[in-house]
C-alpha cells in the first residue's frame, strides 16, 4: 500500500540519528518539546476566550477577568504557574477555570507524544508540523464549539493558511518534492471531504427541515484534510460521526440531540494521528484483500 510505504518506510531512522535513543538527550529534547506545546496551549487559551467574544488578541495583555490586574510573566508560565498559584489570581484570589491548566498540559503532552510516536514508528519527520498544527487547532476549535456552539471562521481560515504554508514549506508531508503540487494536494484534500459534508448537510436540512450540521463543522473537516490528507480525514469524519451518535444515544437518549460535532471529529483525528499504522494494517487485513 503506497500510503503505508510512504508513512512508515523512511530511509533514515532519524529518531536514532538525532540521538533520541539516549536517555539524557531524550529527556532534554522531549522536555523542551513539551514546553513548546504548553506555551502554544497558553496562547490557545487566549484564543478560546477572546475570539468568540470578538476581542483582540494583541491589544491588551493577559489579565484577570474579575479584577483586571495584568498577569505578570512569572505568573504566566504554562502549567507551572497554575499549580503554584493553586488556580487562583494572585491579586483577588478568584479561581481560574481548570481548563487553562488542562489545555496547556494536553497540548504539551500531545506535542511530545507526537514526536516520540513518529520516531518510534519510523515515520518521516516531515509529517510532524502539519499534525502538530492539527492538534492545536483541534483543541482550540473543540473548546469553542463546546462552550459557545460555534467554530469561529478566524480559527478555521487561519488554520487553512497555516496548512498551505506548511505544504509549501514541507512538500514531503504530501509525498511530493514540488511545492506547487503539495499545495494543490492540500487544497484537494480539504475540498473533497468539505464538499462531501456540505452536501450531506444540505440533504439533512432538506429532509429534516432543520440544520443538522453547521458550516463551522464543514470548514473544520476541510481544515483537517488540508493538514493530514484524505485517508485520515475520512477516518476522522466517519469515526467522529459514529462516536457522536453513540454519545448522543447514551447521554442525550436521542438521535436528535444537539451536540457539538467538532470535538468528536477532533478526537477521531487524534486517534488517526497516533494509531494510523494500526488502522491501516487493520484495513489491509480485513477490507483490502
Amino acid at each position: 500500500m503506497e500510503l503505508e510505504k510512504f508513512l512508515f518506510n523512511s530511509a533514515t531512522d532519524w529518531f536514532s540519528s538525532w540521538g533520541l535513543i539516549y536517555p539524557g538527550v531524550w529527556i532534554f529534547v522531549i522536555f523542551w518539546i513539551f514546553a513548546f506545546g504548553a506555551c502554544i496551549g497558553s496562547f490557545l487559551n487566549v484564543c478560546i476566550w477572546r475570539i468568540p467574544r470578538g476581542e483582540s488578541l494583541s491589544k491588551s495583555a493577559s489579565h484577570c477577568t474579575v479584577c483586571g490586574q495584568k498577569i505578570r510573566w512569572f505568573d504566566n508560565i504554562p502549567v507551572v504557574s497554575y499549580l503554584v498559584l493553586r488556580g487562583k489570581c494572585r491579586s483577588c484570589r478568584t479561581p481560574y477555570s481548570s481548563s487553562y491548566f488542562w489545555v496547556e498540559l494536553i497540548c504539551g503532552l500531545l506535542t511530545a507524544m507526537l514526536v516520540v510516536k513518529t520516531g518510534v514508528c519510523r515515520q518521516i519527520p516531515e509529517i510532524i508540523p502539519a499534525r502538530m498544527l492539527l492538534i492545536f487547532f483541534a483543541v482550540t476549535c473543540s473548546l469553542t464549539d463546546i462552550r459557545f456552539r460555534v467554530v469561529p471562521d478566524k480559527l478555521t481560515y487561519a488554520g487553512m493558511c497555516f496548512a498551505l504554508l506548511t505544504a509549501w514549506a514541507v512538500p514531503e508531508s504530501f509525498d511530493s518534492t514540488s511545492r506547487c503540487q503539495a499545495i494543490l494536494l492540500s487544497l484537494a484534500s480539504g475540498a473533497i471531504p468539505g464538499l462531501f459534508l456540505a452536501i450531506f448537510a444540505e440533504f439533512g436540512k432538506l429532509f429534516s427541515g432543520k440544520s443538522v450540521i453547521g458550516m463551522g463543522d464543514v470548514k473544520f473537516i476541510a481544515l483537517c484534510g488540508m493538514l493530514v490528507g484524505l485517508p485520515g480525514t475520512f477516518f476522522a469524519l466517519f469515526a467522529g460521526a459514529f462516536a457522536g451518535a453513540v454519545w448522543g444515544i447514551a447521554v442525550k437518549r436521542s438521535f436528535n440531540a444537539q451536540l457539538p460535532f467538532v470535538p468528536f471529529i477532533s478526537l477521531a483525528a487524534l486517534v488517526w494521528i497516533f494509531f494510523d499504522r494500526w488502522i491501516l494494517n487493520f484495513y489491509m487485513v480485513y477490507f483490502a484483500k
Side-chain angles (χ1 to χ4, degrees):
M1 187 177 182
E2 289 299 321
L3 178 62
E4 188 172 17
K5 181 179 179 182
F6 161 62
L7 287 176
F8 301 106
N9 292 340
S10 180
T12 303
D13 185 2
W14 61 272
F15 200 73
S16 299
S17 65
W18 292 4
L20 295 178
I21 58 173
Y22 301 106
V25 177
W26 188 89
I27 292 172
F28 177 81
V29 172
I30 297 304
F31 170 79
W32 285 110
I33 292 173
F34 170 85
F36 168 76
C39 287
I40 297 297
S42 180
F43 172 71
L44 297 182
N45 276 322
V46 178
C47 296
I48 293 166
W49 175 266
R50 296 188 184 185
I51 289 179
R53 293 174 169 84
E55 299 179 11
S56 171
L57 296 176
S58 58
K59 287 186 177 180
S60 61
S62 296
H63 58 276
C64 175
T65 57
V66 176
C67 68
Q69 180 66 38
K70 289 185 178 180
I71 299 176
R72 290 165 287 189
W73 69 266
F74 50 82
D75 287 336
N76 209 19
I77 301 172
V79 179
V80 175
S81 292
Y82 188 93
L83 294 175
V84 170
L85 295 172
R86 298 183 180 181
K88 297 179 181 179
C89 172
R90 183 183 291 272
S91 299
C92 66
R93 307 307 297 169
T94 299
Y96 293 136
S97 169
S98 61
S99 66
Y100 292 111
F101 169 79
W102 289 113
V103 167
E104 294 168 355
L105 181 65
I106 289 172
C107 286
L109 288 175
L110 290 179
T111 303
M113 288 166 58
L114 173 65
V115 174
V116 173
K117 179 263 178 183
T118 306
V120 170
C121 291
R122 296 191 176 184
Q123 293 178 286
I124 60 171
E126 287 82 1
I127 67 174
I128 291 177
R131 295 186 171 203
M132 196 175 291
L133 282 171
L134 181 56
I135 288 173
F136 297 146
F137 280 100
V139 170
T140 310
C141 292
S142 293
L143 282 177
T144 57
D145 200 16
I146 290 171
R147 290 182 179 179
F148 304 101
R149 293 296 193 272
V150 65
V151 183
D153 287 343
K154 284 186 177 180
L155 289 176
T156 50
Y157 289 156
M160 291 175 183
C161 291
F162 277 113
L164 293 177
L165 182 61
T166 303
W168 177 85
V170 194
E172 294 85 358
S173 61
F174 276 91
D175 194 19
S176 175
T177 57
S178 168
R179 299 184 192 276
C180 291
Q181 185 183 46
I183 290 175
L184 290 175
L185 287 171
S186 178
L187 287 171
S189 297
I192 293 172
L195 182 61
F196 173 84
L197 191 59
I199 293 173
F200 177 82
E202 287 301 316
F203 273 102
K205 186 176 181 179
L206 179 65
F207 287 105
S208 67
K210 60 181 180 179
S211 179
V212 293
I213 296 175
M215 286 306 297
D217 303 325
V218 174
K219 294 170 187 175
F220 181 76
I221 202 68
L223 170 59
C224 289
M226 294 177 69
L227 288 170
V228 296
L230 288 176
T233 304
F234 275 109
F235 172 82
L237 177 58
F238 291 114
F242 176 77
V246 172
W247 180 267
I249 295 171
V251 177
K252 299 294 185 178
R253 306 292 182 183
S254 171
F255 278 109
N256 298 319
Q258 295 295 316
L259 294 173
F261 190 28
V262 166
F264 295 102
I265 299 176
S266 298
L267 182 60
L270 293 179
V271 170
W272 172 264
I273 287 175
F274 288 103
F275 298 99
D276 50 358
R277 180 171 209 162
W278 295 273
I279 295 170
L280 285 170
N281 286 339
F282 179 83
Y283 172 79
M284 291 295 293
V285 170
Y286 293 100
F287 298 102
K289 294 182 179 180

